Amino acid sequence: MNYARTLFPTLMFAPLVALSAADIRFEDVTGPAGLREPLAGLMGHGGAWGDFDGDGRIDLFVGGFADRPDAEYAPAPGPVLNRLFRNDGGGKFAPVDVPGLGVPARTSGAIFADLDNNGTLELYVANNAKQHTGRNPQKPAQAQRSQLFRNDAGRLTDISTSSGACPESLFTARNVGVLDFDGDGLLDLLIVEDKFTKAPRSVLLRNLGGLKFADASEAAGLPSDIFGLGLAVADVNEDGRPDFFVGHSNRLFVSQPGNRYREAVELAPVFKHAPFDAEDWPCGAAFGDLNRDGRMDLVVSAHSVKARNRVFLNGGMKDGAPQFREITAEAGLADVVPVRCPHVEIQDFDNDGWPDIYVSAAWVDDGRVTPLIYHHDGVRDGVPRFSPPRTIAMPMVYYPAGPSGDFDGDGRLDLFLINWFAGNHSRLLRNDAPAKAWLDVRVKGRTFNTMGIGSRVEVFAAGHSGEPGHRIGTQEIGTGFGYASGQPAVCHFGLGNAEAVDVEVRLPDSTVVKFPNTKACQTLRVEQP
């Protein structure tokens, strides 16, 4: 791989408040946060938000490639190793020393997840251990397999070998998916392996309990040739179990009875990608309800210098199978982006009540960063419409990973953009959009996973619970979507100027709980009855 350093028949704008792309803006606070100097020279490629110490503030893991000649890491004297930072509040982060974490590696992704249901988040680091020759002299980094760290009340311990979660056969790990595919209440792991190794094979690891994992790929009916870069997980066939889409190979797998999966081969022509050249790869993937019809639509980003990011609308179920159609041009994303766009998320960054589409490309003007976020402009004839913040043209830059998360707790989603190139640096971008109403929803399980992953959350205008025409949004709680990035397990909804909303939550055990007239601007914490 070369890393050169319908719901509404007419046009409707958000009924809550009409904003524009100009209302999405960020302030670079990397230096004041204490994150610039420790990461100077990082050849970054993966990162994750997660509250590993349980203090209510999301912390940050940052990983990169440490296999290149020393000179490529200037101003650092040599490779910059993976780092964990504690969020100390007040916009400040402090490095945390974790034995076994700061080792030379080629990290391509990470997630925080409670894998033993004890209320603390483990850290999984996906590493590329494919051997190279020639200009990559840092041999220890090339040999480092993926890692799993157990969390004991905020103290992380490397259990990679004993857990079975980091098999020796997994060479080029990329995205890390978190899902409970067998419904036993324990979170399983789906590790996506890329195409750039002999006989690539992504692996589904069943959680056996006690932080022990076993390969369940064959038992789940998954073929042995799944390769990819990014990953998205959501219930698209409406059976209450997680389905998943793998970016690059562009394959959708839908759950079946008996804890098995079927590839939706009938959708292969819809998702097919005709590459411009040998490095034109679909990459990140994200599910989200783009037109407020309650279904999970799909956005796929591209790891190409001629990036064609694509949008697919979910048309619901027909003959037992989900239906998708491409609406990229209609949605306003037809322009080719002249830099790579690896990571993608569907999030409401201006809290106007409509989800925006963010990809990890940006403009940098005199140090000010403008991420490429396509602003949601409303729905016409059932199709969501988006517009970029400016004309898409060079000069632009890209970041391999860039997870969202509200690090300062102000109800606006911030970004951490993880830098690869000399002359640039990783950026903590604080969201400074005008203050609007919002709601975060977290779910805590008792018999299902403590993170509530797999819960579906629907928000309606107050007094109109369950009425499709008054739906504000639908999301599923998850982490590890997009590319090389991990997000907090929370559903964030912008509410515009609404003071209260109705909330419905379908839990992983299919129980539905309702919260009428829920006040805006708070975190709703839902516990399994």
Side-chain angles (χ1 to χ4, degrees):
M1 177 182 301
N2 177 21
Y3 284 97
R5 273 292 229 176
T6 268
L7 192 54
F8 303 105
T10 57
L11 178 62
M12 286 195 62
F13 293 91
L16 301 175
V17 62
L19 299 180
S20 69
D23 288 300
I24 300 177
R25 57 177 182 260
F26 296 86
E27 182 71 22
D28 187 341
V29 295
T30 316
L35 292 172
R36 180 160 183 175
E37 184 177 349
L39 296 175
L42 173 79
M43 192 170 284
H45 202 283
W49 292 107
D51 180 12
F52 86 95
D53 57 1
D55 66 357
R57 297 185 291 263
I58 56 172
D59 309 299
L60 179 65
F61 167 81
V62 185
F65 278 33
D67 67 331
R68 306 304 168 98
D70 289 348
E72 294 193 18
Y73 299 92
V80 181
L81 305 181
N82 295 350
R83 304 295 297 271
L84 175 64
F85 297 91
R86 175 181 284 109
N87 185 342
D88 286 343
K92 302 288 186 179
F93 287 80
V96 179
D97 183 32
V98 178
L101 181 64
V103 298
R106 304 172 77 235
T107 295
S108 293
I111 55 94
F112 285 98
D114 184 2
L115 300 176
D116 55 2
N117 280 343
N118 71 347
T120 61
L121 302 180
E122 276 67 51
L123 171 62
Y124 192 99
V125 180
N127 291 326
N128 185 329
K130 180 181 177 182
Q131 298 296 302
H132 288 271
T133 58
R135 74 183 196 91
N136 301 315
Q138 316 285 356
K139 297 301 181 183
Q142 297 183 34
Q144 180 62 58
R145 296 294 201 275
S146 297
Q147 296 173 283
L148 175 62
F149 293 85
R150 184 184 69 229
N151 190 336
D152 298 308
R155 187 180 77 251
L156 299 181
T157 302
D158 189 342
I159 58 167
S160 307
T161 302
S162 62
S163 67
C166 309
E168 286 290 308
S169 59
L170 191 64
F171 283 100
T172 57
R174 293 282 183 164
N175 231 74
V176 186
V178 181
L179 69 168
D180 181 5
F181 86 96
D182 54 2
D184 66 353
L186 296 170
L187 290 174
D188 310 300
L189 296 171
L190 177 61
I191 316 297
V192 174
E193 188 167 47
D194 70 32
K195 182 181 181 180
F196 312 109
T197 188
K198 184 179 180 180
R201 180 178 178 269
S202 300
V203 59
L204 177 62
L205 298 172
R206 173 181 277 122
N207 190 335
L208 305 177
L211 292 175
K212 301 291 185 180
F213 293 82
D215 189 340
S217 306
E218 184 176 356
L222 296 179
S224 61
D225 63 346
I226 302 173
F227 68 85
L229 295 171
L231 177 69
V233 178
D235 178 14
V236 296
N237 68 350
E238 302 175 10
D239 68 349
R241 293 292 180 86
D243 312 301
F244 62 91
F245 179 91
V246 181
H248 193 186
S249 58
N250 281 17
R251 300 165 75 176
L252 175 67
F253 294 88
V254 293
S255 56
Q256 302 293 292
N259 304 323
R260 294 179 62 81
Y261 282 93
R262 175 187 73 84
E263 182 175 357
V265 293
E266 66 276 10
L267 289 172
V270 178
F271 298 134
K272 184 178 180 180
H273 181 83
F276 283 137
D277 53 44
E279 291 196 1
D280 181 4
W281 312 319
C283 187
F287 284 117
D289 182 5
L290 296 174
N291 62 349
R292 290 183 172 177
D293 66 356
R295 304 185 186 113
M296 294 292 104
D297 308 304
L298 174 67
V299 180
V300 181
S301 61
H303 198 297
S304 169
V305 294
K306 297 179 180 178
R308 291 167 292 164
N309 303 309
R310 302 171 68 191
V311 185
F312 301 91
L313 200 66
N314 185 339
M317 297 292 291
K318 182 179 179 181
D319 299 327
Q323 307 296 304
F324 284 88
R325 66 182 179 94
E326 184 170 359
I327 59 162
T328 304
E330 298 169 81
L333 274 73
D335 289 343
V336 173
V337 182
V339 294
R340 305 179 195 273
C341 299
H343 180 54
V344 60
E345 295 190 21
I346 299 170
Q347 303 280 15
D348 187 353
F349 286 97
D350 57 357
N351 285 345
D352 68 348
W354 293 98
D356 310 300
I357 296 174
Y358 146 66
V359 294
S360 57
W363 294 266
V364 181
D365 307 292
D366 297 324
R368 185 171 188 87
V369 181
T370 303
L372 177 46
I373 297 177
Y374 295 89
H375 180 262
H376 200 309
D377 295 330
V379 175
R380 182 172 60 204
D381 299 328
V383 175
R385 311 294 168 134
F386 298 88
S387 59
R390 63 172 75 173
T391 300
I392 294 178
M394 291 295 279
M396 296 181 71
V397 299
Y398 85 88
Y399 300 84
S404 70
D406 182 6
F407 81 89
D408 54 2
D410 68 353
R412 291 173 286 192
L413 289 176
D414 312 300
L415 294 173
F416 190 76
L417 303 182
I418 298 171
N419 178 62
W420 175 271
F421 299 99
N424 197 2
H425 62 88
S426 297
R427 313 261 182 168
L428 177 61
L429 300 184
R430 185 186 65 211
N431 190 334
D432 284 348
K436 294 294 176 184
W438 54 275
L439 182 73
D440 284 353
V441 180
R442 293 180 178 271
V443 174
K444 181 179 180 180
R446 300 179 187 275
T447 60
F448 56 80
N449 71 89
T450 62
M451 299 174 73
I453 285 180
S455 300
R456 177 167 292 203
V457 182
E458 292 197 284
V459 175
F460 300 87
H464 296 278
S465 182
E467 299 179 24
H470 292 273
R471 181 184 286 111
I472 294 173
T474 303
Q475 296 182 38
E476 288 194 14
I477 293 180
T479 186
F481 49 87
Y483 175 64
S485 302
Q487 304 81 2
V490 57
C491 290
H492 173 84
F493 294 90
L495 303 179
N497 56 8
E499 296 181 357
V501 291
D502 290 352
V503 181
E504 294 188 9
V505 183
R506 187 194 73 189
L507 302 175
D509 65 358
S510 298
T511 301
V512 176
V513 290
K514 300 183 179 183
F515 301 87
N517 199 34
T518 300
K519 290 184 178 180
C521 301
Q522 65 161 316
T523 297
L524 175 64
R525 301 182 185 277
V526 181
E527 293 199 13
Q528 181 182 6

